[in-house]
Amino acid sequence: MDYIFETRMLVRDYECDIEGIVNNANYLHYAEHTRHLFLKERGLSFADMHRRGTDAVVARMNLQYKTPLRCDDELISRLAVRKEGLRYVFHQDIFRASDNKLCFRGVIDVVCLVDGRLASSKEYDAALLD
């Protein structure tokens, strides 16, 4: 995979379930935070775009959980993106930093709503697809 962005995070104790592993819903938070940081790095404010009437929303997810993360693990979240029609298809993988083991793989389709209607966004195209 040709990743174009990565960030690191630490697993916090409250993200783990009774089994001592990260609850599966938290991987979605990691993936979303990664996409938002990626947008910010590309000069696009998620909040500013919303104020101007454009919202990027998740339309579909295909998720695979591979190896569990545990409290205090450092993770590396990486992404790649391509455009298919009106969809931005994010390929997001999360690795455990200590051994680079794949923990999570997601394919997340995002679409833009411009003034509440499904549409293309020149701003998102420019930021994501340079």
Side-chain angles (χ1 to χ4, degrees), residues 1-126:
M1 178 80 51
D2 291 326
Y3 301 108
I4 59 173
F5 181 79
E6 78 173 44
T7 191
R8 291 174 177 254
M9 297 175 230
L10 288 176
V11 172
R12 295 158 293 218
D13 58 347
Y14 65 83
E15 296 169 334
C16 299
D17 58 25
I18 198 161
E19 298 168 325
I21 60 175
V22 171
N23 180 279
N24 59 357
N26 286 303
Y27 291 90
L28 303 181
H29 295 289
Y30 301 150
E32 180 178 43
H33 187 61
T34 302
R35 291 192 305 276
H36 288 202
L37 290 175
F38 170 63
L39 288 174
K40 189 174 183 177
E41 181 185 84
R42 296 291 177 105
L44 194 61
S45 164
F46 197 74
D48 184 50
M49 290 299 294
H50 171 73
R51 284 190 289 276
R52 293 191 290 145
T54 300
D55 294 304
V57 297
V58 172
R60 179 182 1 195
M61 295 183 190
N62 181 350
L63 312 173
Q64 298 175 34
Y65 299 91
K66 300 292 192 176
T67 302
L69 288 165
R70 298 183 180 280
C71 186
D72 296 329
D73 278 345
E74 181 180 23
L75 64 97
I76 305 167
S77 182
R78 297 179 174 128
L79 70 75
V81 63
R82 71 178 191 282
K83 190 162 185 198
E84 291 182 2
L86 293 176
R87 294 179 297 133
Y88 301 97
V89 181
F90 286 87
H91 293 267
Q92 295 190 246
D93 294 335
I94 295 175
F95 299 86
R96 187 171 50 214
S98 63
D99 59 4
N100 208 37
K101 188 128 182 156
L102 179 64
C103 298
F104 170 87
R105 173 160 282 160
V107 178
I108 296 116
D109 292 354
V110 173
V111 296
C112 286
L113 301 177
V114 179
D115 296 322
R117 302 180 77 94
L118 184 63
S120 189
S121 167
K122 290 179 185 176
E123 293 92 345
Y124 275 96
D125 283 352

